[in-house]
Amino acid sequence: MSKRKGKDTHLPIGECITQAQQILRERFCQRKLPDRPEGVEAQHRRLLELLRRTAIHGESNSVLIVGPRGAGKTTLLRCVLRELLEDKDVQKNLLQVHLNGLLQTDDRIALKEITRQLQLENVVGDKGSFAENLAFLLEALKKGDRSSSRPVLFVLDEFDLFAHHKNQTLLYNLFDVSQSAQAPVAVVGLTCRLDVLELLEKRVKSRFSHRQIHLLSSLTFPQYLERVRAQLSLPDHFPDPNFAQEWNADVKTLCEDKSVEEVLQRHFNSSKDFRSLHTLLVRLTGISPLVAVGSTRVIEHPVWNNPFQLPCLCRVSVSKPSIRPADLLDASRLCLADAKANMLHGLSILELCLVIAMKHLHDVYEGEPFNLQMVHNGTPTHLKEEGGGGEKERGFFSCFFCRTRLPRLEFKKFLQRKSNSMYNFEQPVVMKAFEHLQQLELIRPVDGSSAKTQREYQLMRLMLDHSQIMEALQKYPQCPTDVKQWAMSAFA
Amino acid sequence: PRNAMPSIPSRALPARQPANVLEEARTRLHVSSVPESLPCREQEFQDIYSFVESKIIDGTGGCMYISGVPGTGKTATVHEVMRCLQHAADMDEVPPFCFIEINGMKMTDPHQAYVQILQKLTGQKATADHAAALLEKRFSNPAPRKETRVRLVDGLDLLWTRKQNVMYNLFDWPTRRHARLVVLTIANTMDLPERIMINRVASRLGLTRMSFQPYGFKQLQQIITSRLNRLKAFEEDALQLVSRKVAALSGDARRCLDICRRATEICELSASDPSALGLVGMSHVMEALNEMFSSAYISAIKCASTQEQLFLRAVIAEFRRLGLEEATFQQVFVQHQALCRVEGLPPVSMSEGLSLCQRLGACRLLLLESSRLGILQRVRLNVSQDDVLFALKAD
């Protein structure tokens, strides 16, 4: 610290860190465009050529950009548009219409939005139904022609949702305009579904030009490492060059660290996309995500759904102005933690005991659903109820099965055997705990109709895996030994 | 401006004209530049022409049903017939007539058909019910001097309503004595009248039917050649390859033109020297064909991350164990953990496994149930097992 201050820096250290955080925040949270798209040069050139031909020659086109979530579809499109609009001719001519399948949930809304974005609303006015709006728009597009009217670029984000609209009217009409001698349009769809063409009706499909641009990442691990380094580095135009230099050197040594490499390899193995990388880096650099609420895609980052972890996120601070390998390991541990196991840590002993009883029932009956009665008493009530008539034989067999094996497992017998009055709860208390488990969705009713059956007899399924329960039990703070033993007890 | 119509503003600079041979070819090959006369549809043209002409000359009405898969030139042929008849009417060879076109796909509701017809006949605006009443009156009352109206109804299957009154009216009006109405209807399926129409509608549609066959490879080749019109941009073999491929798959002329257009782009890109552009050859066409017809599933699997590939492997392993094509996530996950151990990778947590599964589900390599079911959700493959194994083995 003192050494750093001793140098002739232009800015105080706190200011530098704020600046650095600002830059990184823009990069990770506000989706600042990179200077040039990485790893997708061929796709970039192809899309740019296509849109340029629409803008300059008035050629109508349609194209789909397909790639998994977080592969950089929107970034690619925005980069292309940025480059395209640098041309003065294009800038003066091109009209843009941006639609999103999540916002424009039906054609009526989409049409209103198109009218608004084309600034035709003062002509159309608020008169006119959906049908008239459509007629107006089609008429407007029909009156245009290739050489004289301004080209329109339609960008359909979440394209596959548009295919679920009634009759696919909007898609048909857009593609039809692109295939007939009307105003020049370019229809660009963005989607993550590989089977998107199978969603289209056949006359819509026939009118689509079948150009698809696939964004699949062919990233190798060294490239990934390099990208992490580049993402964390500060740019050359940073106000305090000394700080930037030191920071970048720190980042370089960080990326060469063996343990860091191991952690990053693990993340790379799990997913190659940049968004999950950003999630890790956001945690790492301690950017308070709440600042980024202005950006559009905030909700998608899993970090932002957990405000309780914010305080421990602010890792880079004045007292520690660099990222250390330990920080990365911590951040990675947070990212990779199992959500259900974390929830189990927060349960009470009674609830944990119920979970264990359910696990035993699950083992014995090989995944058959259970109800509270079985968990609590071990009386297989559902077998008794259906015991009459033709079911007798099966009922007998099952009961026989229960009598020999079940009494050793379930909750009440556990208490009797242990003769431990500490956990001897009343039935309503157990019921309450059971309901709490249901609210946490650790157990789930088999069929949705809960109104018909009484709560004690409603059949449930456990939504946890063995490994999760055992792991949580190991880490549970001050878990009573007999509960642990009961959970471990193998039965034969 | 009560009756102002919206329009797209005109551009500041005029569009640039094509500069070289390939650009010129691309302009001509665009689907929107429909040629004056359609090659390979002479017979159909003749049939429709004589049908409409005879009705116009006799002053009677009638219906015709035209079917065929998309991209076989139905609408274009009818438009050409109308152009020719209009020309003939201008030359006083046939009595004057007027032509109205409606399209089921361009309407929000079947009943809008009335509104559009009325508006195109008289320019009057009305609600659907009122328009129906006005049209009814118009067609049933005799008027002193009436010209024949030809009406083209595209996308007939979308005019279907539960009571089928729109279709009924459309086909009933031509049978009126004073209507002098010729109705041409276009749809994709050949057996549409038998399938969805009730008897009184189907009987009014009559038996004058015509079906457009998908183009054969010779026809497709002829279409492209006629569009290029002696412009030397393509090698002969390349054209033949495109038309044979398309004819084998669908016989859709639009597809054929799109592929040729894409091939010219590829050719332009691959030419090192922009002044010396070569012809579009086999290699360019092959590349365009691959781009447009190949499925992306295999390359998507190849590009997936290690754990995602492992998950797909686990899915197949579980299917083999169960002998079924469906398994719960929990079952697959057990296999996944075992595979992780075999491969020497650190085991993944359940949450991470679920997110792997969701990612594969989002790009439709897997078909999943709703994610609320958590580990109980069932997993199916959307690709064949052979494809997955091929993609995973190839490297």
Side-chain angles (χ1 to χ4, degrees):
Chain A
M1 259 310 289
S2 54
K3 215 170 81 187
R4 208 179 285 269
K5 258 188 183 168
K7 288 179 185 171
D8 54 337
T9 46
H10 304 275
L11 288 169
I13 189 88
E15 184 69 12
C16 282
I17 287 181
T18 320
Q19 289 272 345
Q21 288 213 348
Q22 169 115 28
I23 287 172
L24 296 180
R25 184 181 301 136
E26 273 178 5
R27 229 178 249 168
F28 301 146
C29 305
Q30 297 175 349
R31 302 205 301 161
K32 188 168 184 278
L33 285 187
D35 291 334
R36 30 183 318 100
E38 286 165 51
V40 289
E41 281 78 17
Q43 286 95 331
H44 180 259
R45 195 167 61 158
R46 197 173 151 198
L47 188 62
L48 184 64
E49 275 304 306
L50 195 80
L51 294 185
R52 179 167 284 159
R53 273 204 306 279
T54 301
I56 291 177
H57 293 280
E59 183 182 294
S60 293
N61 279 311
S62 48
V63 66
L64 274 180
I65 304 176
V66 187
R69 292 227 179 267
K73 301 179 286 292
T74 312
T75 311
L76 172 70
L77 182 69
R78 282 168 57 193
C79 282
V80 166
L81 282 181
R82 183 181 62 186
E83 199 171 329
L84 194 66
L85 290 178
E86 279 166 11
D87 191 339
K88 278 280 177 295
D89 290 4
V90 176
Q91 206 178 4
K92 264 188 255 169
N93 285 327
L94 192 67
L95 295 168
Q96 293 184 34
V97 178
H98 291 262
L99 301 175
N100 189 320
L102 291 167
L103 297 176
Q104 280 79 40
T105 48
D106 68 15
D107 284 347
R108 181 189 304 264
I109 307 171
L111 217 56
K112 278 241 156 74
E113 186 64 19
I114 294 174
T115 320
R116 192 185 67 77
Q117 292 191 20
L118 286 178
Q119 296 175 340
L120 297 173
E121 66 207 318
N122 52 349
V123 187
V124 176
D126 41 343
K127 64 177 174 181
S129 57
F130 175 34
E132 274 181 319
N133 269 332
L134 181 66
F136 272 141
L137 181 74
L138 293 179
E139 191 59 35
L141 289 167
K142 207 171 177 177
K143 266 199 285 183
D145 76 51
R146 183 189 158 128
S147 53
S148 68
S149 52
R150 289 173 72 175
V152 190
L153 168 68
F154 287 94
V155 176
L156 306 180
D157 212 341
E158 308 290 344
F159 181 83
D160 47 304
L161 297 180
F162 284 97
H164 294 309
H165 292 181
K166 189 185 160 227
N167 288 343
Q168 304 184 346
T169 312
L170 183 76
L171 291 185
Y172 176 89
N173 284 309
L174 286 184
F175 286 143
D176 194 53
V177 170
S178 84
Q179 298 254 304
S180 51
Q182 302 179 6
V185 296
V187 184
V188 180
L190 307 170
T191 179
C192 64
R193 285 183 66 159
L194 291 168
D195 63 345
V196 62
L197 281 188
E198 286 155 40
L199 297 176
L200 297 180
E201 224 188 299
K202 61 180 187 301
R203 52 193 142 196
V204 182
K205 195 172 161 182
S206 166
R207 281 169 175 78
F208 170 59
S209 71
H210 282 64
R211 286 158 195 263
Q212 294 190 50
I213 295 180
H214 289 283
L215 283 184
L216 299 166
S217 91
S218 51
L219 210 63
T220 58
F221 184 60
Q223 287 169 333
Y224 186 81
L225 263 184
E226 176 55 32
R227 196 181 162 89
V228 173
R229 199 190 59 72
Q231 288 283 316
L232 282 176
S233 300
L234 292 177
D236 298 334
H237 56 77
F238 193 72
D240 185 341
N242 280 342
F243 180 82
Q245 241 167 31
E246 258 176 62
W247 174 277
N248 290 351
D250 278 349
V251 167
K252 194 148 185 275
T253 45
L254 176 80
C255 288
E256 281 159 2
D257 190 278
K258 263 280 164 283
S259 59
V260 167
E261 214 165 286
E262 216 166 84
V263 167
L264 287 177
Q265 174 82 53
R266 188 153 176 217
H267 279 270
F268 176 72
N269 279 347
S270 164
S271 105
K272 286 178 180 178
D273 69 38
F274 306 138
R275 195 172 293 157
S276 57
L277 172 66
H278 282 175
T279 315
L280 177 72
L281 296 183
V282 162
R283 279 181 188 263
L284 177 67
T285 47
I287 292 163
S288 164
L290 288 187
V291 184
V293 163
S295 117
T296 48
R297 288 227 178 162
V298 156
I299 315 295
E300 281 179 23
H301 276 279
V303 187
W304 288 322
N305 296 333
N306 195 348
F308 297 108
Q309 291 186 343
L310 287 186
C312 69
L313 274 176
C314 301
R315 293 177 191 286
V316 181
S317 61
V318 180
S319 59
K320 187 174 76 67
S322 67
I323 305 171
R324 289 181 205 145
D327 297 338
L328 189 83
L329 300 191
D330 278 359
S332 152
R333 202 169 38 73
L334 277 179
C335 278
L336 295 177
D338 188 57
K340 283 276 173 64
N342 281 346
M343 277 165 84
L344 285 177
H345 291 171
L347 294 183
S348 69
I349 295 283
L350 172 60
E351 286 156 353
L352 195 67
C353 286
L354 286 179
V355 169
I356 294 169
M358 289 169 200
K359 170 184 164 282
H360 284 322
L361 280 176
H362 186 272
D363 287 347
V364 170
Y365 290 118
E366 285 162 346
E368 284 295 307
F370 50 82
N371 59 27
L372 178 60
Q373 283 295 315
M374 295 165 74
V375 177
H376 192 239
N377 293 330
T379 7
T381 37
H382 72 296
L383 294 178
K384 270 185 193 165
E385 277 168 305
E386 68 184 31
E391 294 283 315
K392 212 162 203 168
E393 215 164 48
R394 201 189 129 219
F396 174 73
F397 176 73
S398 305
C399 286
F400 175 73
F401 191 70
C402 296
R403 214 168 287 144
T404 52
R405 288 189 169 179
L406 202 62
R408 277 208 274 148
L409 326 164
E410 77 304 305
F411 186 52
K412 212 168 185 179
K413 294 292 152 90
F414 160 65
L415 297 181
Q416 281 169 8
R417 188 178 53 161
K418 291 287 165 195
S419 64
N420 192 341
S421 57
M422 211 177 94
Y423 311 126
N424 212 347
F425 295 103
E426 296 292 318
Q427 165 91 6
V429 180
V430 177
M431 171 79 135
K432 183 87 181 158
F434 193 74
E435 279 175 4
H436 186 227
L437 288 179
Q438 191 181 345
Q439 276 172 359
L440 292 174
E441 294 201 1
L442 293 176
I443 53 177
R444 186 185 172 82
V446 171
D447 48 350
S449 59
S450 55
K452 270 189 230 157
T453 45
Q454 272 179 294
R455 284 181 179 264
E456 296 97 308
Y457 301 108
Q458 200 178 4
L459 289 179
M460 297 283 189
R461 270 185 208 283
L462 186 60
M463 304 271 285
L464 291 164
D465 196 52
H466 276 198
S467 54
Q468 286 173 306
I469 299 173
M470 299 317 281
E471 199 188 313
L473 217 60
Q474 296 300 328
K475 290 181 189 160
Y476 192 87
Q478 290 157 9
C479 180
T481 319
D482 45 357
V483 172
K484 230 180 218 174
Q485 277 170 353
W486 177 45
M488 307 277 190
S489 67
F491 30 82
Chain B
R2 253 186 83 235
N3 293 319
M5 282 305 276
S7 64
I8 303 288
S10 54
R11 53 195 294 160
L13 296 163
R16 215 171 282 169
Q17 290 306 309
N20 57 34
V21 178
L22 283 180
E23 279 180 18
E24 175 70 32
R26 198 150 54 225
T27 321
R28 291 192 195 175
L29 285 172
H30 197 279
V31 184
S32 66
S33 54
V34 181
E36 280 299 303
S37 81
L38 289 175
C40 313
R41 288 294 180 219
E42 290 83 9
Q43 186 56 45
E44 285 84 356
F45 173 84
Q46 204 51 51
D47 288 354
I48 299 175
Y49 189 91
S50 49
F51 174 82
V52 180
E53 189 189 29
S54 67
K55 299 287 183 210
I56 290 176
I57 290 175
D58 297 349
T60 54
C63 296
M64 185 177 202
Y65 177 72
I66 302 170
S67 65
V69 293
T72 45
K74 302 178 293 294
T75 313
T77 308
V78 172
H79 278 157
E80 196 192 338
V81 168
M82 286 306 136
R83 255 202 324 272
C84 288
L85 276 172
Q86 200 70 58
H87 186 71
D90 290 344
M91 308 291 281
D92 277 337
E93 285 164 19
V94 292
F97 67 100
C98 77
F99 175 58
I100 298 168
E101 183 186 1
I102 58 172
N103 188 335
M105 277 303 256
K106 295 188 179 175
M107 283 178 281
T108 53
D109 178 86
H111 295 282
Q112 286 295 322
Y114 300 133
V115 180
Q116 294 205 355
I117 294 171
L118 187 71
Q119 192 176 11
K120 281 174 182 160
L121 274 179
T122 63
Q124 199 177 348
K125 270 189 193 170
T127 60
D129 289 342
H130 189 207
L134 285 176
L135 287 173
E136 180 73 36
K137 207 165 84 189
R138 222 183 142 83
F139 289 128
S140 39
N141 291 344
R145 203 190 128 270
K146 244 191 200 174
E147 52 187 12
T148 306
R149 294 187 191 85
V150 182
R151 189 188 304 147
L152 171 64
V153 183
D154 214 337
L156 180 68
D157 46 336
L158 287 167
L159 295 181
W160 189 86
T161 52
R162 221 153 58 80
K163 286 168 85 181
Q164 305 198 356
N165 46 0
V166 177
M167 285 209 242
Y168 177 80
N169 276 334
L170 282 180
F171 301 140
D172 188 44
W173 287 332
T175 58
R176 308 276 168 83
R177 203 154 60 85
H178 306 289
R180 305 185 65 174
L181 198 61
V182 184
V183 177
L184 303 171
T185 58
I186 296 183
N188 290 143
T189 40
M190 202 148 83
D191 59 345
L192 190 75
E194 286 76 26
R195 232 164 9 100
I196 66 169
M197 292 184 198
I198 50 178
N199 284 336
R200 61 194 171 116
V201 177
S203 87
R204 276 174 176 77
L205 175 58
L207 293 170
T208 320
R209 307 239 182 124
M210 170 177 286
S211 79
F212 278 61
Q213 298 303 317
Y215 291 113
F217 92 91
K218 282 227 167 89
Q219 292 170 314
L220 285 175
Q221 204 172 351
Q222 200 182 333
I223 289 173
I224 306 174
T225 326
S226 78
R227 286 228 178 188
L228 286 175
N229 193 16
R230 287 199 292 283
L231 192 71
K232 196 68 191 139
F234 275 80
E235 280 173 20
E236 207 56 41
D237 293 346
L239 281 189
Q240 187 160 348
L241 179 69
V242 175
S243 34
R244 274 187 192 272
K245 274 271 188 195
V246 175
L249 276 162
S250 61
D252 188 336
R254 291 196 188 105
R255 196 70 334 100
C256 206
L257 294 170
D258 283 332
I259 292 170
C260 290
R261 211 149 57 86
R262 176 70 192 135
T264 59
E265 286 168 21
I266 293 174
C267 177
E268 203 167 51
L269 273 184
S270 65
S272 50
D273 179 13
S275 58
L277 288 171
L279 293 181
V280 181
M282 280 298 245
S283 59
H284 306 127
V285 168
M286 278 306 284
E287 200 181 327
L289 280 169
N290 280 338
E291 259 177 31
M292 288 191 166
F293 285 131
S294 69
S295 106
Y297 287 116
I298 290 181
S299 47
I301 295 174
K302 276 186 188 164
C303 288
S305 70
T306 319
Q307 292 284 3
E308 285 164 357
Q309 289 179 344
L310 216 56
F311 193 85
L312 286 174
R313 232 183 264 259
V315 170
I316 289 183
E318 187 61 22
F319 284 175
R320 294 227 168 123
R321 192 182 71 85
L322 292 172
L324 291 172
E325 291 284 289
E326 188 177 272
T328 65
F329 171 77
Q330 202 169 9
Q331 291 169 322
V332 176
F333 191 68
V334 173
Q335 294 280 355
H336 186 124
Q337 296 291 54
L339 277 175
C340 274
R341 240 168 280 139
V342 171
E343 297 281 327
L345 295 168
V348 298
S349 67
M350 191 66 91
S351 298
E352 207 183 328
L354 269 174
S355 69
L356 284 176
C357 182
Q358 291 302 330
R359 270 203 299 267
L360 291 172
C363 61
R364 293 287 151 157
L365 287 170
L366 295 179
L367 297 174
L368 303 175
E369 284 186 310
S370 118
S371 61
R372 284 202 63 189
L373 289 173
I375 60 170
L376 300 178
Q377 64 184 317
R378 278 172 298 198
V379 177
R380 272 186 297 150
L381 275 178
N382 195 23
V383 246
S384 75
Q385 292 194 14
D386 294 337
D387 282 359
V388 178
L389 291 176
F390 171 75
L392 292 177
K393 214 169 272 174
D395 45 86

